Amino acid sequence: MRRGIVFLLTIIMMVALISCSKGKKITVAVTVTPHSEVLEFIKPKMKEKGYDLEIMIVKDVVTANTALKEDSIDANYIQHRGTLERFNTEQKANFVEVVGVHLEPFGMYSKKIKNVADLPQNAEIIVPNSPANQGRAFKLLSDAGVLKFKEGVKIETSTLQEFDKIIESNPKNIKFKAVQPSLLPQLYTQGEGDAIFINANFAIQAKLNPLKDALLVEDVKNSKRYVNVLVTKKGKENEEGIKLLAQLLQSPETKKFIEDKYKGQVIPAN
């Protein structure tokens, strides 16, 4: 009888341990650079705290947000605040920012011109097809005097779809072409378009430094809207594993890792 009880208790404990171990996994969707590299850096630290950090590589924000919406993952770390805001509005999602991690300077590059003033008449400028990034391109071109928008227009939140309605002056008759962000480095390498706007994470893949190689680049000090953030569903942000992940992403050690590895191409948010 006693042996039976001991055996039963042992089984119960084993089941409990297995259940606990299964519950100690955090799955996060990211893109390759720099997001997955940052998570790889903190992965051992998560392990020390009893959590297995599973890193799921995806090509775009849509895939990452769909996975989060369907509960296939616990969080994603692939988008900036502007993208998150737009997704929540358009998809009626309940995603929340857990913590801001880094900034990626958004810039315009070209193999054909050396200065923005050299943009030819009827120039073709390639931009990301993500609406939340198109306004960033408009803002940089507006600040450079290439485009002039109508009074009262919120340039940074504007999209290509709205361009004809909000533009006041386009003296060089610039044409825009929208392309999936992950394809932009390849198009730059091939010399497509007169200029291309590329997010820093993809610019790095083309061996470009936004602070040195871009013809136009954002002032990161004034780019809080574009801080890349850890995102989860509302209600999950207070779970132990998510809070630990957020804490490690904002740690001094992670900040130093980003500074040392990317040397200004990616900038810590804190």
Side-chain angles (χ1 to χ4, degrees):
M1 181 73 175
R2 184 177 296 173
R3 286 182 179 178
I5 293 172
V6 171
F7 178 75
L8 182 59
L9 288 173
T10 302
I11 294 296
I12 291 171
M13 288 175 67
M14 288 177 66
V15 170
L17 284 170
I18 292 169
S19 299
C20 285
S21 65
K22 285 184 177 179
K24 290 287 190 177
K25 183 175 77 171
I26 299 289
T27 304
V28 184
V30 295
T31 190
V32 177
T33 305
H35 308 79
S36 69
E37 296 166 345
V38 174
L39 288 191
E40 288 289 354
F41 173 73
I42 68 171
K43 190 173 183 176
K45 298 172 176 32
M46 289 287 289
K47 187 71 173 177
E48 288 173 9
K49 300 291 185 179
Y51 283 89
D52 287 322
L53 179 58
E54 182 178 335
I55 302 169
M56 179 190 291
I57 306 292
V58 296
K59 289 186 176 180
D60 54 54
V61 175
V62 174
T63 303
N65 279 343
T66 300
L68 185 57
K69 199 171 185 180
E70 294 174 351
D71 293 315
S72 301
I73 58 175
D74 299 292
N76 66 48
Y77 165 42
I78 192 174
Q79 62 195 312
H80 57 64
R81 287 167 178 157
T83 302
L84 173 61
E85 178 185 301
R86 182 174 288 273
F87 185 85
N88 273 338
T89 301
E90 293 180 350
Q91 301 298 322
K92 294 181 172 56
N94 61 341
F95 295 174
V96 294
E97 171 187 335
V98 184
V99 71
V101 185
H102 73 263
L103 280 154
E104 299 171 5
F106 186 65
M108 186 180 85
Y109 305 84
S110 178
K111 279 185 170 289
K112 297 180 179 177
I113 60 173
K114 299 295 184 184
N115 192 293
V116 67
D118 298 329
L119 278 168
Q121 198 71 20
N122 301 312
E124 180 185 68
I125 296 182
I126 302 173
V127 297
N129 67 355
S130 50
N133 284 315
Q134 290 164 8
R136 300 170 82 178
F138 294 162
K139 181 69 166 58
L140 285 171
L141 289 168
S142 175
D143 290 345
V146 177
L147 299 174
K148 185 177 180 181
F149 291 87
K150 293 178 180 178
E151 192 75 27
V153 168
K154 293 182 179 179
I155 302 174
E156 289 184 327
T157 58
S158 300
T159 67
L160 272 180
Q161 192 174 0
E162 305 163 318
F163 184 75
D164 291 339
K165 297 178 182 178
I166 62 176
I167 191 69
E168 182 174 301
S169 176
N170 181 9
K172 294 199 173 185
N173 193 34
I174 289 170
K175 306 294 184 184
F176 291 96
K177 179 180 178 180
V179 175
Q180 184 177 322
S182 61
L183 298 178
L184 296 173
Q186 180 183 344
L187 295 182
Y188 169 81
T189 301
Q190 294 171 348
E192 296 289 330
D194 293 288
I196 302 182
F197 279 93
I198 311 177
N199 297 79
N201 59 320
F202 294 116
I204 292 170
Q205 295 176 27
K207 302 190 184 311
L208 293 168
N209 185 326
L211 303 183
K212 295 179 181 178
D213 302 319
L215 303 184
L216 296 174
V217 67
E218 286 174 335
D219 177 2
V220 291
K221 294 178 182 177
N222 297 315
S223 300
K224 290 184 179 180
R225 176 178 173 79
Y226 303 115
V227 170
N228 278 234
V229 291
L230 177 68
V231 174
T232 191
K233 274 188 171 181
K234 187 173 180 59
K236 289 178 67 74
E237 68 272 24
N238 292 317
E239 291 183 2
E240 182 186 50
I242 298 293
K243 289 173 74 173
L244 174 62
L245 179 59
Q247 180 184 338
L248 290 172
L249 283 170
Q250 279 208 320
S251 70
E253 292 81 9
T254 302
K255 178 180 179 181
K256 187 175 187 305
F257 169 79
I258 293 172
E259 290 172 338
D260 292 347
K261 183 171 179 64
Y262 303 108
K263 303 185 187 309
Q265 295 169 290
V266 178
I267 299 160
N270 60 323

